[in-house]
Amino acid sequence: MWKGRFAKETAELVQQFGESISYDWRLYKHDIAGSIAHARAQVAAGLLTGDEFASIENGLREIEADIDAGKFEFKTSLEDIHMNIEAELTKRIGAPGAKLHTARSRNDQVATDTRLYCRAEIDTLIPAVSKLQLALLDRAEKYAATVLPAYTHLQRGQPVTVGHHLLAYVEMLERDKSRLQDCRKRLNVSPLGSGALAGSTINLDRPAVAAELGFDGVTNNSMDAVADRDYIAELLFGISLCGVHLSRLSEDLVLWTSAEFGFVSLSDSHTTGSSLMPQKKNPDVCEITRGKTGRLLGNLVAILTAIKGLPLTYNRDLQEDKEPLFDSIDTLGLTLAVNAEMIAAMEFREENCLEAASDPLLLATDLADWLVKQGVPFRHAHELVGKAVAESVSSGTPLDQLDLSKIDAAYTPDAQTVFNLQTALAARTNPGAPSVENVRSEILKWQGLIQA
Ligand code: ARG
């Protein structure tokens, strides 16, 4: 493609080192769509005849069909997807093919392709996140009233319901979707026409090209347009944070499926056995999810690091954006799909959840609230309950069986009414709190919001 200036062939090792076709072939549909839009603008500018355009378009469609069918031979010597397609087009249709690259550089071309690619992938990731939300909602509905201890510092804190706990993840995933949408909005502008870095002396109709490709507009600065990879960094951050949420869910499940907790059983289809210990049923999907999150974070750091030292504008370092991008998208897509399937099939062991939540110490805060309602200032109430807890722990008498009136006269016999899980939960009616009624109405709300 640049033979005019060079007397020697590119060294074999340099070709091997610099090629990107082994992975950027995945951009082919977007590359072809971009080329067709670009060629159409050349017709409007009087640079191509209608016949030349038709032969370019047909040639590109045939190449696309061959790639779809796995019949296209990619050449490492042609470096990347852009040159592979263009060279093959010229081979197939002759002269018009050599006109296609007018007023275009691979710099604005690759930026266009990757934006289109990210946009399309965001449009498949968002429904995949919804699918996992729906699986969580389904379980939240089934176990809306199942009482479960909730933890801080991994110490039992207060009773909630399984439904409430699972809805916390639905919230996180909703934020993940809105981050992806936000990233989509910002990336959806067309760099085509920015050329290598300074636009072109040949003016093609950039807004028309952008509209044909479904962009909302065009980039405003040719230098920024070819140098910018913010959208990749943003997307990889959005993916990383979604991965972090899935990793936290995984960690809950690893704990909950252990004999020590015994709250959840996963389906045999989503667990693995041990080659040595016959009794084992391992939550590998959760562990692999947790592990893969490390890769997602690594990919984010890789792109940020690649960009940070680059002078304007395009530098070949930017070619290193694609493998982390592809890997994170593939990884998150598969992670979401397998988790949705596993969550939809998981069962809670309700007796174990209830037993763990039945420790009266989990209602110590409610006892303090009860004292407050009798007129005791909260700090004093906290201390009085602390004394009762200390007495319970040292005497080995459960909190709800102590004679509280011996601790302080503020405790009347009525204090006993606090020790009832159902009423304790039912009292938590403020927005965001886990009364069963609240949880059920949240589930209904989400079911109306999330499309399958
Ligand atoms: N394969 C290159 C990339 O992914 C395409 C752009 C090449 N531009 C250049 N000036 N060498 O970044």
Side-chain angles (χ1 to χ4, degrees):
M1 295 283 174
W2 47 74
K3 56 182 187 284
R5 164 75 173 77
F6 288 70
K8 281 189 189 169
E9 287 294 312
T10 311
E12 181 62 39
L13 267 178
V14 174
Q15 286 186 32
Q16 207 183 309
F17 189 58
E19 67 82 22
S20 54
I21 188 61
S22 56
Y23 48 89
D24 71 8
W25 66 269
R26 290 170 52 149
L27 299 173
Y28 73 98
K29 276 189 189 294
H30 307 298
D31 196 75
I32 287 169
S35 288
I36 291 172
H38 181 70
R40 205 184 308 279
Q42 289 191 48
V43 178
L47 294 165
L48 283 179
T49 66
D51 285 352
E52 285 173 322
F53 173 77
S55 98
I56 288 176
E57 186 178 25
N58 290 339
L60 288 171
R61 290 286 173 223
E62 278 169 31
I63 289 171
E64 185 175 24
D66 286 353
I67 301 176
D68 283 342
K71 287 194 305 205
F72 189 91
E73 197 205 325
F74 293 113
K75 295 198 182 80
T76 306
S77 58
L78 288 167
E79 217 177 275
D80 58 24
I81 187 62
H82 325 295
M83 296 208 290
N84 267 270
I85 291 178
E86 194 196 326
E88 181 63 21
L89 178 70
T90 305
K91 196 171 120 197
R92 292 188 188 188
I93 68 167
K99 291 188 173 179
L100 178 61
H101 212 53
T102 310
R104 182 176 78 173
S105 155
R106 279 186 295 154
N107 296 352
D108 57 349
Q109 193 178 357
V110 73
T112 304
D113 293 4
T114 46
R115 281 175 189 263
L116 290 172
Y117 169 82
C118 290
R119 190 180 74 190
E121 295 301 324
I122 288 172
D123 289 346
T124 62
L125 282 176
I126 289 175
V129 178
S130 293
K131 197 162 175 218
L132 176 55
Q133 285 180 304
L134 289 172
L136 287 161
L137 274 181
D138 178 74
R139 296 295 86 179
E141 190 173 29
K142 176 161 184 188
Y143 300 106
T146 305
V147 190
L148 181 81
Y151 299 76
T152 60
H153 317 271
L154 200 55
Q155 309 285 320
R156 283 180 192 163
Q158 293 178 309
V160 293
T161 65
V162 169
H164 195 62
H165 195 124
L166 297 181
L167 286 180
Y169 287 103
V170 175
E171 294 279 342
M172 290 176 230
L173 294 170
E174 191 65 15
R175 291 196 295 275
D176 292 330
K177 288 198 300 192
S178 92
R179 251 183 296 274
L180 292 175
Q181 289 285 15
D182 195 37
C183 171
R184 188 194 194 283
K185 226 178 287 161
R186 225 180 337 272
L187 70 72
N188 200 28
V189 282
S190 172
L192 263 188
S194 302
L197 69 104
S200 171
T201 57
I202 300 166
N203 282 333
L204 299 182
D205 187 346
R206 295 191 64 206
V209 173
E212 176 170 345
L213 295 172
F215 286 118
D216 297 325
V218 299
T219 53
N220 296 318
N221 180 296
S222 60
M223 294 178 72
D224 179 45
V226 296
D228 177 24
R229 294 295 182 273
D230 292 3
Y231 57 98
I232 297 183
E234 277 190 46
L235 178 52
L236 292 191
F237 172 73
I239 288 176
S240 296
L241 192 49
C242 184
V244 166
H245 293 148
L246 299 181
S247 188
R248 297 186 77 171
L249 171 61
S250 297
E251 182 56 19
D252 271 344
L253 292 174
V254 166
L255 292 171
W256 286 352
T257 53
S258 68
E260 283 68 17
F261 282 75
F263 294 169
V264 163
S265 65
L266 297 172
S267 147
D268 285 0
S269 316
H270 304 118
T271 46
T272 61
S274 157
S275 54
L276 179 73
M277 299 168 281
Q279 85 284 9
K280 291 298 288 292
K281 182 172 164 182
N282 299 324
D284 289 27
V285 170
C286 308
E287 295 167 290
I288 298 169
T289 298
R290 215 170 44 186
K292 281 192 190 290
T293 303
R295 270 171 66 171
L296 301 179
L297 306 189
N299 289 338
L300 171 63
V301 172
I303 184 68
L304 289 171
T305 311
I307 300 169
K308 76 174 262 297
L310 300 185
L312 289 183
T313 56
Y314 179 85
N315 296 270
R316 192 65 183 278
D317 317 42
L318 291 176
Q319 181 167 295
E320 288 294 311
D321 61 357
K322 286 172 208 63
E323 284 172 294
L325 173 65
F326 296 162
D327 182 61
S328 283
I329 284 171
D330 293 347
T331 301
L332 185 66
L334 191 55
T335 306
L336 286 165
V338 70
N339 274 277
E341 199 182 284
M342 178 184 74
I343 297 288
M346 77 179 172
E347 300 290 349
F348 278 81
R349 299 166 73 182
E350 297 180 88
E351 348 61 67
N352 293 353
C353 298
L354 181 62
E355 197 193 323
S358 298
D359 179 349
L361 287 178
L362 269 70
L363 295 172
T365 313
D366 291 47
L367 185 58
D369 288 350
W370 179 87
L371 285 167
V372 167
K373 287 175 197 157
Q374 313 310 305
V376 181
F378 181 75
R379 279 291 151 225
H380 186 45
H382 188 283
E383 190 188 335
L384 289 183
V385 177
K387 280 184 180 159
V389 169
E391 174 63 24
S392 159
V393 171
S394 68
S395 69
T397 313
L399 187 63
D400 57 344
Q401 285 165 38
L402 282 181
D403 182 357
L404 293 170
S405 64
K406 282 192 180 153
I407 292 168
D408 195 278
Y411 286 117
T412 64
D414 212 28
Q416 287 304 318
T417 59
V418 161
F419 297 107
N420 178 314
L421 276 174
Q422 298 311 321
T423 52
L425 270 173
R428 294 174 148 78
T429 55
N430 230 3
S435 73
V436 175
E437 209 182 315
N438 271 3
V439 169
R440 288 201 196 283
S441 77
E442 281 294 297
I443 291 170
L444 275 177
K445 178 197 83 180
W446 284 116
Q447 284 169 339
L449 284 174
I450 301 171
Q451 341 274 341

